[in-house]
Amino acid sequence: MKRNIVILGAVIAVIALIVAFNWPDKGEAPAETKPGNAAAEQPAAGPKPGELAPAFKLTSIDEKTSYAVGGARDKALIINFWASWCGPCDKEAPDLIKLYEKYKDQVDLYAVNETKYDTVRGAKDFVKEKGLTFPVLMDKSGDVGDDYKVFSYPISFIVDREGVIRHRIEGPKPIEEWEKMLEEVLA
């Protein structure tokens, strides 16, 4: 009998310790700043609006043309980072096609496939299935995505004619919001 009481006491003590160590602390840091939280370990989102767009040069999906970004340009630019497996990218594609058709005389659109985290075959199938008519660039090393601090998809940047980032857009947005941001940049 004494042995059962000792075992029961030990079990209760272990349970009490487990509860005590897992009990939420009222003085706990917010989730986004907790050590070990993936968002907290990522560098601050950047580059930020008002900064020059990081320069890069990438090859098109057909490997026939190179496109460069950096400094002043003839047209404003949308840089859209995406992956073929990304559901929100799939949702966003029709609106990007509409925007490109409406603004292509004033705005370039470069769809940068994060090929390091995707496949060339997946990207080509996506482009064909969606009927993308704007340049699709391949970031095979992931360096451009790293320079732009892309940690999720889609993420887009609107860059003005001076090469300055005016908007960082995380996730798909309604086409009306896109048009408002573009009109502001084109004014």
Side-chain angles (χ1 to χ4, degrees), residues 3-136:
R3 184 172 179 227
N4 289 344
I5 292 174
V6 170
I7 292 173
L8 182 60
V11 169
I12 291 172
V14 169
I15 292 172
L17 284 172
I18 291 170
V19 169
F21 281 108
N22 290 306
W23 197 262
D25 181 13
K26 290 182 182 177
E28 189 173 14
E32 60 273 358
T33 61
K34 279 179 156 176
N37 181 301
E41 293 173 3
Q42 296 171 352
K48 297 174 178 45
E51 297 178 354
L52 285 174
F56 67 83
K57 186 175 183 178
L58 292 173
T59 304
S60 62
I61 197 167
D62 64 5
E63 299 182 353
K64 294 180 181 177
T65 310
S66 289
Y67 293 86
V69 171
R73 42 186 309 110
D74 294 336
K75 297 180 186 179
L77 172 66
I78 297 170
I79 306 169
N80 172 258
F81 291 90
W82 66 282
S84 65
W85 47 261
C86 163
C89 301
D90 184 63
K91 178 182 174 185
E92 180 181 63
D95 285 346
L96 291 178
I97 293 168
K98 289 176 190 171
L99 287 169
Y100 182 68
E101 290 303 315
K102 182 173 181 176
Y103 293 97
K104 66 182 170 185
D105 292 336
Q106 301 169 288
V107 177
D108 287 326
L109 195 160
Y110 296 166
V112 179
N113 176 262
E114 284 300 294
T115 320
K116 180 177 179 181
Y117 306 106
D118 202 349
T119 64
V120 173
R121 167 56 91 210
K124 287 181 177 183
D125 289 348
F126 185 95
V127 169
K128 184 177 180 181
E129 177 186 321
K130 296 299 172 191
L132 303 184
T133 57
F134 39 80
V136 176

Side-chain angles (χ1 to χ4, degrees), residues 56 81 114 116 139-149:
F56 67 83
F81 291 90
E114 284 300 294
K116 180 177 179 181
D139 184 15
K140 293 179 180 179
S141 68
D143 291 342
V144 176
D146 289 348
D147 289 346
Y148 279 79
K149 305 293 186 250

